[in-house]
Amino acid sequence: MTAPDPRERGLDPAHILAVTTEATRSGRGRAARVAASPGGVRVSLPSRRAAGDASAALTRLGYQVAR
């Protein structure tokens, strides 16, 4: 049995990346990285401040965020 695809539950890694990039104003060389995983979508950011900004933006859109 394979793990469920997070996108089947309505998670869209491309949308999460777009929101994260906009919220953190990630520029060249400081980009966020997003990967779908069995438990959801994992986002790696260059700093704690960027993580806080992204977390706030994703929460405002209704995403559940865990650190």
Side-chain angles (χ1 to χ4, degrees):
M1 180 175 201
T2 60
D5 185 345
R7 291 170 290 190
E8 291 178 10
R9 294 183 291 167
L11 297 176
D12 180 2
H15 181 251
I16 292 170
L17 177 61
V19 171
T20 300
T21 300
E22 180 64 28
T24 61
R25 291 165 182 67
S26 295
R28 199 167 262 214
R30 297 185 52 97
R33 296 183 183 187
V34 176
S37 67
V41 176
R42 182 174 299 269
V43 180
S44 297
L45 295 159
S47 70
R48 288 182 186 203
R49 181 177 182 177
D53 292 345
S55 176
L58 290 166
T59 300
R60 281 192 302 271
L61 292 175
Y63 287 100
Q64 182 179 5
V65 177
R67 292 185 179 213

